[in-house]
Amino acid sequence: MKKIWSWTLVSVLAGIVLGVYLKAVQFVTGIKVYLLLLNIDYIPVLNRLNFWEMGEFILHLAASIIIGNVLQWGITKWRLVRKQQFLIIISASLIVAIAYYPVIILFEQTLGLLSIIAFTWWISGHLLYGFSLFYLQTIIAKN
């Protein structure tokens, strides 16, 4: 049970890192990658509700918790060594980013994000998320 809580904490922190990074990118460049992160237009039922930014961010953190705990479960089950853990976490982060991008850019709020620059920022943010998951997990595992 302690491992689940530690990985939940790691997942929340990594999700915050991703959110802050994409919000900063959006602030500096004007490219709406943070809006893309929080977009829930494609989710039935949720897309009918009026969420404020913090509510959408909490949903993002919930997704991060699920992803982080599934990764931890796999890492534990298959007893992966550090190098394998790193490759799995980074690969999963990229797969999620690449799979998610085409789904959400088709919606009204994010339609203008079909540029290679927006996609590059999006991918770099998710790489940062993967690195954060890996290194935060390493720090917590030592304690």
Side-chain angles (χ1 to χ4, degrees), residues 19-142:
V20 168
Y21 173 78
L22 291 179
K23 187 160 186 145
V25 167
Q26 182 170 306
F27 179 77
V28 171
T29 68
I31 299 170
K32 297 184 177 182
V33 287
Y34 179 70
L35 176 66
L36 188 65
L37 181 70
L38 301 186
N39 189 349
I40 57 169
D41 290 348
Y42 64 96
I43 303 173
V45 179
L46 290 180
N47 62 3
R48 295 183 185 148
L49 302 174
N50 254 344
F51 282 98
W52 68 106
E53 179 182 344
M54 185 55 70
E56 291 174 343
F57 193 76
I58 289 169
L59 290 173
H60 155 68
L61 292 178
S64 181
I65 290 168
I66 292 166
I67 291 166
N69 278 289
V70 167
L71 286 170
Q72 176 59 33
W73 173 82
I75 286 168
T76 303
K77 180 174 175 57
W78 290 294
R79 299 175 191 196
L80 301 178
V81 296
R82 301 292 302 150
K83 186 176 181 180
Q84 292 170 321
Q85 291 175 21
F86 179 78
L87 291 173
I88 291 293
I89 291 171
I90 294 300
S91 297
S93 298
L94 287 175
I95 289 167
V96 167
I98 291 167
Y100 187 68
Y101 194 81
V103 172
I104 57 176
I105 60 170
L106 300 175
F107 291 91
E108 188 177 322
Q109 281 187 307
T110 54
L111 198 54
L113 294 171
L114 284 169
S115 75
I116 192 69
I117 296 169
F119 185 70
T120 301
W121 284 117
W122 181 255
I123 293 298
S124 69
H126 284 80
L127 279 172
L128 178 61
Y129 173 78
F131 285 120
S132 298
L133 271 179
F134 178 76
Y135 287 110
L136 290 168
Q137 182 266 343
T138 301
I139 291 167
I140 287 183
K142 288 181 181 177

